[in-house]
Amino acid sequence: MKDVVTSGAPTQSGARVTRTSRDATSGGDAEAGASYRAAGVDIEAGDRAVELMRSKVKKTFRPEVVGNIGGFAGLFAFDTDKYKKPVLASSTDGVGTKLAIAQQMNIHDTVGIDLVAMVVDDLVVCGAEPLFLQDYIAIGKVVPEKVADIVGGIADGCRWAGCALLGGETAEHPGLLSPDEYDIAATGVGVVDADSILGADRIKAGDQIIALASSGLHSNGYSLVRHALLADGKMRLDQVVPELGRQRTLGEDLLTPTTIYAQACLAVIEECEVHALAHITGGGLAGNVVRVIGEDVDAVIDRATWRPQPIFDLIGTIGRVTRPELERTFNMGVGMVVVVPPDQADRAVASFSARGVKAWVAGEIVSGTGNVRLVDSHPS
């Protein structure tokens, strides 16, 4: 039997279904001898966590969510009339070792936002509207308030992304994880019309590359971040760093949530002709833009069009990380790239700006052989 504490889809009242069965191997009254709680799994704590997260999860429900009291799966009534040739898109991701910072800081209400962003911003790259998300939390010991904070962040992210938190599972793993440790992952599902899928086949020489500002590191490269800034006592998470330009601790800055671009991108896709998107995650600008261009063009991106946030300089200076390594690992201030025809660039930039997303023309598509070139001044 898995060490499952809470599992399944939200019910009509907006909570995860809680399964409270006796360990199949106990052979009798759990209180009379060995018990699941004594083994380290507290079902009642899971129940309390569900109650604490109930209202936030319910706020994510879209009209298509079908409530099923006591169900084992989330149900979503898909609207086939909205699409001529609907294609489902799916994406699975996690937050990575950014979680180590959250656990050291004892701040757990932002990593759920990161989780949603990593999933839905991958979905929107092909033009898909995120429909619903399901999460998985593996934790050493269920502390209801901590789990509620994590799921509360996931619920906030889902609301901002316009998708339902359709279900999830929290698994207590004593002996495998320490009481303070946890890991989170999620799978999201979206939909796009077959004739509207974005990608390399739409891109042409002359197209403009629009950059969307990141909020900072987002959720990639934290193993390098921790090595560069925290190893050997170089810096402390609780220290205020003037170079960052904010009266926040280093730890708080490192926990800045990943930007959720999905809704803004979908709106611009409706308003403008968009050829392709690229979500800038691990691998940096070059490593991700190259995934969405064809072999007959190059993407030329001008570094001089923006200034990365101070956190990137701090990592480079304190950790002695070279510029090529920084660019190979981090987004360097650009969280998403949008490729549009030249006559759509100004309109797209204005549309993003109107939605609170800083955007600018950062380069162009030229004839080439499928490479991405980062330059310090755009060629005329």
Side-chain angles (χ1 to χ4, degrees), residues 330-341:
F330 303 113
N331 66 63
M332 299 303 291
V334 177
M336 184 78 78
V337 159
V338 186
V339 180
V340 300

Side-chain angles (χ1 to χ4, degrees), residues 5-6 14-16 18 42-55 57 137 139 142-152 170:
V5 177
T6 64
R16 294 178 176 189
T18 303
D42 189 345
I43 293 174
E44 286 74 21
D47 293 342
R48 294 195 299 275
V50 168
E51 289 305 312
L52 290 174
M53 70 180 75
R54 181 188 299 269
S55 62
V57 173
I137 303 170
I139 192 165
V142 169
V143 177
E145 293 77 13
K146 180 188 292 187
V147 174
D149 278 349
I150 297 168
V151 177
T170 301

Side-chain angles (χ1 to χ4, degrees), residues 84 108 194 226 234 238 266 338 341 362 380:
K84 296 178 181 178
H108 311 287
R226 291 159 57 228
K234 295 188 190 78
D238 62 354
L266 289 172
V338 186
S380 59

